């Protein structure tokens, strides 16, 4: 019987992948669904989270995951989600602040703009995604632009725009974005009706009163005119913001500093392309201008993708440039800082719980101090550090 | 040291001509005859217009100059040189006399007291009078006691009739074998002493032992120097074995003097560390500074107590300054080793070199700054961990005829 028990244990061990020798916990893990731990909270609705949940992780239900976040998550976080089989987000001060502002904002006035800024790797994109989750829970229409930098650099195809002679189109990026937009906002697409007639080519046009979904589908299928479709979609949404059906909107954008500044793209004559000459950028800028009401604009600055910016720059003024700053002005700045002690503690416990920290020394107090020192409580640095432990 | 008004330029010029003799020429004939030719040259010059107001006569000038040129020439340490002795005893004695006289003259020249003129003073005076731009220390002019300059040599081992003096001469290594013979004799004497005590029933196991702590046996090279003859490794091993055997006897303290002659004291390394005292700033917070160098980078650190573990380098955060994990680990090592990770606040400034050498320089600076906060035992552990040793490695010079320091040009067969 003793040997049988040993053999059973030996079989159980690889199932749970716990190489740290925490046998009891491993067996326990299989059976428990969601036991209460210090760093986790049961409150999965961002609307109901408050200061008492600060520093705790909440799980995004897997069913929502792909609809809410088809794009826009930081790539390392996506890998982590795949590894851990669950998407856990930490409740942090900037996100809570943002959500509280949004709850109290008056939507009949011109849109408020919020800018998340902070040092590289401090969690701006994650806070943004937290806010996006909140919006989707509230039932808003989410206009999530993952990274304006994707549009401004490394583009292989530039077509001269059909709508406007001097502008350039980016068909691939536009169609990708439309596809993701469709995934996110399925239920809105049938509700919103077009107010204007759009002519794409001599043979194709979209009539007034057709649902937005049709427009989006058309944009996805006809790749050549997808950028103009994007422009049309944005215009419609702007006009119908304070809509009769109560369809609120907001625009969420990452890497807003890519909209101003320089691009790496070149015209055929090897002269550089200014951002205004790109259709997507142009339309997005119109969106960010607060001449419409009924929504909110949340933007983050991102240094990682930004072009021609020094790596130590993280303040809005430096990264946006003068032009960008003037256009974004006035805005509500929301600073995102590094982990506090409590947040670091909960992140550490989370990794321990998921058996991410395999090294036996990392589970001791000294190991924790080492981690604090080496990462200086920077979330992304800590994540990279723990990746090979 | 007032010198320039005493030693005229002519004298300097003449003295410096001796260094036309290159240091590489090491023949003894050089030593004997070179001095003479030079001396004669000076003698002639002395008859011409030449006035100086030192106490030296022509003879002593000759003496001084010859001594200098000879000293620079002979540098090798070949003991028991193959063949008959190159320097006879009278020669060495004469050299010693000349050295002493020359030393007194040098002291007079420099305006110092001849009685208390040490070797250090001599070195400094020579470096002052004959500044050399050469890099190799052995190529610079030197003036040392002949015992240090001339290699030790054995006197002639046989008498006028050809019979050797020592009974072990025909072994080839007479001093070595006589030493072994003596040691063994002493061992036998100790055993005899022990037997006598046993006979008188006074034998006790806990007799006073020779203290061997803090000393080591002579190295093979040192033994060779002592015996003035070459020995093989096997011979050296046998010698150490015999000494250990002598020491294993309980009553070996009888022969303590003999044994101690063949042991050297070890220096305690950690006592060489200079620990700065702690300084306190206006709020009563203790702080200390340290600096370190590595390759070409120089770093300074201001370590403040009762902090939170924040580090700023050249004004920026260390996570931004050193994005590479390895550099941050280097910074962490001294603190982590002493388990004071969250205690200190640091303000560092670093310049030069690359990121790795800057990290190494800061690591040394942090360790040095931490010394004032630590106790003696901890300082010793840090030294043993290698935290206080500056890394001597620098970029190796590129040699001509090669592409780099070690890499040769591609070899083409034809």
């Amino acid at each position: 019987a003793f040997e049988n028990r040993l053999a059973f244990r030996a079989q159980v061990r690889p199932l749970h992948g716990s190489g740290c020798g925490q046998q009891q916990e491993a067996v326990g893990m299989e059976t428990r669904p969601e036991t209460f731990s210090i760093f986790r909270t049961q409150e999965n609705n961002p609307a109901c989270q408050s200061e008492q949940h600060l520093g705790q992780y909440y799980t995004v239900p897997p069913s929502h995951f792909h609809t809410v976040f088809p794009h826009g998550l930081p790539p390392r976080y996506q890998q982590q989600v795949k590894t851990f089989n669950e998407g856990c987000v930490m409740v942090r001060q900037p996100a809570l602040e943002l959500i509280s502002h949004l709850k109290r904002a008056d939507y009949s006035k011109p849109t408020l703009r919020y800018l998340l800024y902070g040092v590289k790797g401090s969690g701006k994109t994650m806070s943004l995604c937290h806010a996006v989750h909140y919006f989707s829970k509230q039932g808003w229409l989410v206009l999530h632009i993952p990274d304006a930098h994707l549009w401004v650099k490394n583009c292989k195809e530039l077509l001269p725009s059909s709508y406007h002679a001097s502008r350039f189109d980016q068909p691939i990026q536009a169609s990708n974005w439309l596809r993701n937009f469709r995934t996110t906002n399925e239920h809105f697409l049938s509700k919103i009706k077009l107010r204007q007639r759009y002519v794409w080519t001599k043979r194709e046009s979209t009539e007034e009163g057709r649902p937005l979904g049709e427009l989006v589908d058309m944009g996805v299928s006809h790749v050549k005119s997808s950028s103009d479709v994007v422009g049309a979609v944005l215009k419609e949404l702007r006009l119908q913001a304070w809509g009769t059906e109560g369809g609120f909107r907001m625009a969420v954008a990452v890497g807003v500093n890519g909209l101003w500044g320089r691009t790496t793209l070149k015209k055929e004559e090897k002269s550089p392309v200014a951002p205004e000459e790109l259709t997507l950028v142009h339309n997005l800028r119109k969106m960010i201008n607060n001449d419409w009401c009924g929504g909110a604009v949340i933007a983050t600055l991102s240094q990682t993708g930004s072009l021609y910016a020094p790596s130590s720059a993280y303040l809005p003024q430096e990264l946006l440039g003068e032009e960008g700053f003037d256009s974004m002005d006035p805005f509500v700045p929301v600073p995102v800082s590094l982990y506090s002690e409590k947040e670091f503690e909960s992140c550490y416990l989370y990794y321990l719980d998921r058996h991410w920290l395999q090294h036996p020394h990392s589970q001791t107090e000294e190991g924790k101090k080492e981690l604090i020192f080496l990462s200086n409580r920077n979330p992304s640095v800590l994540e990279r550090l723990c990746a090979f432990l | 040291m007032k010198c320039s008004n005493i030693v005229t330029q002519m004298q300097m010029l003449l003295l410096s001509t001796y260094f036309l003799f290159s240091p590489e020429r090491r023949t003894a004939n050089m030593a004997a005859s070179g001095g003479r030719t030079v001396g004669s040259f000076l003698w002639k010059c002395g008859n011409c217009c030449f006035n100086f107001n030192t106490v030296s006569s022509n003879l002593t000038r000759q003496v001084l100059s010859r001594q200098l040129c000879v000293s620079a020439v002979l540098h090798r340490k070949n003991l028991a040189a193959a063949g008959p002795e190159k320097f006879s005893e009278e020669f060495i004695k004469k050299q010693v006399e000349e050295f002493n006289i020359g030393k007194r003259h040098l002291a007079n020249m420099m305006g110092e007291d001849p009685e208390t003129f040490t070797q250090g003073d001599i070195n400094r005076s020579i470096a002052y009078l004959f500044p050399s731009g050469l890099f190799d220390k052995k190529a610079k002019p030197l003036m040392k006691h002949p015992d240090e300059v001339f290699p030790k040599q054995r006197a002639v081992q046989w008498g006028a009739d050809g019979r050797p003096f020592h009974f072990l001469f025909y072994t080839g290594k007479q001093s070595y074998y006589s030493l072994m013979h003596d040691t063994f004799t002493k061992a036998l004497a100790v055993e005899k002493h022990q037997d006598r005590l046993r006979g008188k029933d006074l034998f006790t196991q806990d007799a006073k032992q020779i203290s061997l702590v803090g000393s080591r046996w002579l190295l093979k090279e040192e033994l060779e120097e002592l015996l003035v003859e070459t020995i093989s490794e096997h011979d050296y091993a046998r010698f150490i074995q015999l000494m250990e055997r002598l020491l294993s006897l309980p009553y070996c303290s009888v022969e303590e003097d003999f044994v101690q002659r063949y042991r050297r004291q070890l220096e305690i390394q950690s006592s060489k560390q200079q620990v700065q005292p702690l300084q306190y700033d206006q709020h009563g917070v203790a702080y200390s500074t340290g600096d370190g160098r590595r390759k070409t980078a120089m770093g300074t650190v201001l370590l403040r107590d009762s902090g939170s573990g924040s580090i700023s380098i050249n004004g920026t955060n260390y996570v931004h300054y050193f994005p590479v994990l390895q550099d941050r680990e280097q910074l962490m090592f001294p603190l982590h080793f002493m388990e004071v990770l969250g205690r200190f606040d640091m303000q560092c400034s670093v310049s030069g070199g690359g990121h790795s050498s800057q990290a190494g320089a800061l690591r040394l600076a942090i360790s040095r700054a931490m010394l004032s906060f630590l106790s003696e035992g901890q300082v010793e552990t840090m030294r043993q961990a290698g935290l206080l040793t500056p890394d001597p490695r620098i970029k190796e010079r590129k040699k001509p005829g090669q592409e780099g320091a070690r890499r040769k040009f591609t070899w083409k067969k034809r």
Side-chain angles (χ1 to χ4, degrees):
Chain A
F2 185 65
E3 293 88 47
N4 290 341
R5 237 182 297 141
L6 274 183
F8 173 69
R9 271 209 170 166
Q11 279 162 19
V12 162
R13 214 183 303 161
L15 270 180
H16 303 290
S18 60
C20 329
Q22 296 174 7
Q23 292 285 336
Q24 301 299 333
E25 225 189 86
V27 173
M29 251 192 69
E30 195 187 28
T31 47
R32 69 134 182 98
E34 282 271 345
T35 48
F36 182 72
S37 338
I38 307 172
F39 56 91
R40 279 190 201 268
T41 171
Q42 300 297 93
E43 192 57 67
N44 281 350
N45 192 352
C48 315
Q49 284 160 357
S50 61
E51 269 93 36
Q52 65 195 108
H53 296 120
L54 265 184
Q56 292 180 344
Y57 278 88
Y58 79 93
T59 332
V60 180
S63 50
H64 280 7
F65 205 75
H66 290 290
T67 39
V68 176
F69 301 125
H71 53 199
L73 284 176
R76 282 198 80 95
Y77 182 71
Q78 276 171 350
Q79 285 170 353
Q80 188 184 308
V81 164
K82 214 161 100 177
T83 319
F84 291 167
N85 267 339
E86 62 173 9
C88 274
V89 182
M90 195 197 271
V91 176
R92 291 186 75 194
Q93 176 56 34
L96 275 184
E97 203 182 302
L98 202 55
I99 291 175
S100 63
H101 275 298
L102 288 163
K103 278 186 203 168
R104 290 178 304 200
D106 186 2
Y107 291 106
S108 54
K109 302 220 184 93
T111 43
L112 272 177
R113 290 175 297 197
Y114 306 92
L115 191 64
L116 290 163
Y117 70 97
V119 188
K120 191 159 91 162
S122 54
K124 303 181 281 284
T125 319
M126 285 309 296
S127 305
L128 193 71
C129 296
H130 191 163
V132 164
H133 188 217
Y134 166 71
F135 290 129
S136 63
K137 272 284 164 88
Q138 294 291 94
W140 287 28
L141 189 140
V142 168
L143 204 73
H144 189 39
I145 293 128
D147 201 347
H149 291 303
L150 290 174
W151 295 349
V152 148
K153 58 177 178 174
N154 294 341
C155 177
K156 301 286 181 214
E157 289 184 15
L158 268 187
L159 302 174
S161 165
S162 46
Y163 188 64
H164 208 271
S166 64
R167 290 204 219 129
F168 291 95
D169 267 359
Q170 284 151 313
I172 313 172
Q173 274 92 352
S175 54
N176 272 340
W177 185 81
L178 280 173
R179 215 171 295 135
N180 288 328
F181 176 70
R182 189 172 51 183
T183 336
T184 326
N185 303 305
E186 295 266 11
H187 50 283
F188 277 108
L189 294 177
S190 41
K191 279 198 235 163
I192 301 181
K193 304 278 185 257
L194 297 180
R195 286 201 193 151
Q196 206 189 328
R197 185 166 177 268
Y198 294 102
V199 179
W200 307 121
T201 58
K202 284 185 209 150
R203 275 176 240 160
E204 291 158 10
S205 62
T206 320
E207 301 296 327
E208 223 177 286
R210 307 291 294 162
L212 195 64
E214 210 185 277
L215 192 61
V216 174
D217 289 329
M218 222 224 75
V220 170
S221 48
H222 290 82
V223 179
K224 272 213 175 132
S225 44
S226 47
S227 320
D228 292 325
V229 170
V230 169
V233 162
L234 293 179
K235 195 156 118 189
E236 283 297 316
L237 294 175
R238 243 180 310 154
L239 290 173
Q240 298 188 17
W242 190 230
T244 46
E245 294 124 21
F248 283 70
R249 258 115 39 54
M250 39 62 63
V252 175
V254 176
V256 161
N257 52 326
L259 296 180
W260 293 277
R262 295 144 67 184
T263 67
T264 46
L265 308 173
K266 289 202 176 67
K267 296 184 237 189
E268 276 157 10
E269 310 89 52
K270 308 271 174 104
S271 60
V273 175
E276 297 87 39
E277 294 177 20
L278 294 167
T279 335
L280 291 171
V281 173
H282 183 83
N283 291 323
L284 196 57
R285 280 201 201 170
K286 280 197 265 183
M287 198 70 192
I288 294 186
N289 280 333
N290 57 350
D291 48 3
W292 52 283
C293 48
V297 174
I298 308 169
T300 58
L301 295 176
S302 128
Q303 198 282 323
T304 26
S306 75
L307 303 160
Y308 308 108
S311 61
S312 53
Y314 71 95
L315 296 170
Q317 207 161 6
E318 295 162 358
L319 280 176
L320 280 177
E322 279 201 35
E323 201 193 315
F325 200 77
D326 292 330
S327 339
M328 283 296 286
D329 215 12
F331 61 87
V332 179
V334 183
V336 180
S337 59
L338 304 175
Y339 277 160
S340 69
E341 296 239 6
K342 193 171 159 202
E343 288 171 346
F344 179 85
E345 185 78 35
S346 69
C347 184
Y348 175 71
L349 286 172
Y350 177 63
Y351 284 142
L352 272 183
D353 177 59
R354 306 304 296 165
H355 296 289
W356 192 229
L357 292 171
Q358 289 279 324
H359 199 279
H361 188 65
S362 60
Q363 283 144 23
T364 61
E365 197 51 45
E366 289 147 22
K368 204 167 102 178
K369 279 198 204 161
E370 278 184 52
L371 286 175
I372 297 181
F373 186 96
L374 284 175
S375 63
N376 201 23
R377 296 212 192 92
N378 190 320
S380 72
V381 175
L382 179 64
E383 199 262 311
R384 266 164 234 264
L385 200 53
C386 299
F388 55 80
L389 278 178
Chain B
M1 291 214 244
K2 44 190 199 303
C3 146
S4 46
N5 52 347
I6 298 175
V7 178
T8 59
Q9 268 190 345
M10 270 297 266
Q11 191 177 18
M12 289 295 289
L13 193 66
L14 283 165
L15 286 172
S16 58
T17 53
Y18 300 128
F19 302 100
L20 296 175
F21 301 126
S22 65
E24 283 92 54
R25 296 172 67 190
R26 292 166 186 187
T27 53
N29 295 332
M30 201 48 244
S33 59
R36 255 179 277 125
T37 48
V38 157
S40 54
F41 167 62
L42 237 201
W43 184 264
K44 287 192 193 109
C45 266
N47 290 336
C48 316
C49 56
F50 190 90
N51 68 317
F52 54 85
N53 46 4
T54 57
V55 186
S56 49
S57 63
N58 287 342
L59 179 63
T60 49
R61 239 184 305 143
Q62 188 176 349
V63 155
L64 182 60
S65 43
R66 193 199 308 164
Q67 179 59 41
L68 287 169
C69 99
V70 153
S71 313
V73 160
L74 298 163
H75 274 279
R76 59 169 178 181
K77 288 177 69 154
N78 196 355
L79 307 167
E85 53 183 270
K86 303 241 163 84
F87 317 110
S88 54
E89 268 204 48
E90 323 98 51
F91 176 75
I92 299 275
K93 261 194 257 175
K94 225 170 32 165
Q95 292 294 316
V96 173
E97 279 169 26
E98 286 176 0
F99 172 76
N100 286 326
I101 297 173
K103 196 167 101 166
R104 297 184 73 89
H105 281 304
L106 186 62
N108 279 331
M109 255 201 269
M110 303 302 293
E112 306 263 330
D113 180 17
E115 304 297 330
T116 56
F117 205 56
T118 60
Q119 184 60 45
D121 294 329
I122 296 179
N123 293 341
R124 265 181 286 124
S125 325
I126 295 293
Y128 177 73
L129 290 172
F130 301 100
S132 161
L134 301 171
F135 294 113
D136 194 0
K137 295 277 191 284
K138 294 185 192 167
K140 296 186 182 173
L142 72 91
M143 184 166 160
K144 281 216 162 89
H145 192 85
D147 281 344
E148 293 165 38
V149 173
F150 294 99
K152 277 214 261 186
Q153 288 190 325
R154 284 179 291 186
V156 173
Q157 311 279 343
W158 51 87
D161 55 350
R163 274 186 83 230
F165 296 131
H166 202 282
F167 73 103
L168 287 174
F169 175 77
Y170 286 112
T171 59
K173 303 181 250 189
Q174 63 177 45
S175 354
Y176 168 74
Y177 281 113
S178 73
L179 171 65
M180 297 289 273
H181 191 70
D182 290 335
T183 318
F184 192 64
T185 322
K186 294 211 188 296
L188 288 176
V190 169
E191 280 181 7
K192 209 163 145 192
H193 176 68
Q194 280 175 265
D195 290 337
R196 257 186 286 127
L197 286 178
R198 273 204 203 96
K200 292 186 208 164
D201 277 333
L202 292 171
F203 182 82
T204 44
Q205 277 296 338
D206 48 337
K208 181 167 144 311
Q209 293 295 318
I210 304 179
S211 139
L212 298 172
V213 174
S215 61
R216 59 166 173 87
W217 287 118
L218 278 187
L219 295 175
K220 181 165 162 285
E221 287 78 22
E222 287 169 350
L223 189 62
E224 281 184 353
E225 228 178 324
L226 196 66
L227 297 176
V228 198
E229 69 185 12
T230 44
I231 28 178
S232 73
E233 283 180 20
H234 188 69
D235 295 334
Y236 177 69
R238 296 293 278 197
F239 169 66
I240 298 291
Q241 229 174 13
L242 188 56
M243 293 299 258
E244 293 288 336
R245 192 167 148 204
L246 174 61
L247 286 176
S248 67
L249 301 170
Y251 275 85
C252 55
S253 47
V254 179
E255 306 295 342
E256 186 168 343
D257 300 327
F258 176 72
V259 170
Q260 290 292 4
R261 240 190 287 158
Y262 297 99
R263 286 191 78 92
R264 292 276 176 273
Q265 290 295 327
L266 291 169
E267 302 160 343
I268 309 169
Q269 287 288 334
S270 63
S271 55
K272 287 189 188 164
Q273 298 293 340
Q274 290 163 346
V275 179
Q276 310 280 342
L278 271 183
Q279 294 157 307
Y280 291 88
D281 69 353
Q282 66 235 62
H283 298 289
V285 175
Y287 72 93
S288 73
T289 51
D291 42 60
R293 256 195 276 200
R294 167 104 211 271
K295 253 192 193 175
T296 340
M298 302 209 324
T300 47
V301 154
L302 184 82
L303 211 64
R304 253 192 267 265
D305 205 349
S306 56
S308 59
S310 70
I311 306 182
S312 75
I313 307 183
N314 285 355
T316 55
N317 200 357
Y318 65 110
V319 173
H320 292 292
Y321 195 79
F322 287 133
V324 179
L325 182 69
Q326 183 191 348
D327 301 336
R328 272 176 278 142
E329 278 181 351
Q330 289 284 301
L331 285 187
M332 187 177 80
F333 180 29
L335 305 172
H336 178 249
F337 190 71
M338 290 285 118
E339 285 150 26
V340 288
L341 265 180
R343 189 171 137 194
F344 294 110
D345 270 339
M346 284 187 262
Q347 270 169 293
C348 324
S349 62
V350 69
S351 63
H355 66 96
S356 224
S357 45
Q358 281 185 345
L362 280 181
R363 179 182 114 172
L364 185 59
I366 291 172
S367 325
R368 284 194 183 147
M370 264 170 67
L371 286 180
S372 356
F373 289 96
L374 300 175
S375 66
E376 282 282 332
Q378 286 174 315
V379 167
E380 180 60 25
T381 41
M382 282 214 4
R383 183 194 70 80
Q384 285 184 351
L387 279 168
L388 300 173
T389 332
D391 201 334
R393 300 179 283 180
I394 50 169
K395 196 159 169 173
E396 200 174 311
R397 181 209 144 168
K398 175 199 176 312
K399 284 106 192 169
Q402 293 176 0
E403 198 174 306
R406 298 285 171 103
R407 160 124 177 103
K408 323 280 185 275
F409 288 121
T410 317
W411 180 71
K412 294 242 172 63
K413 199 160 179 177
R414 51 187 69 84

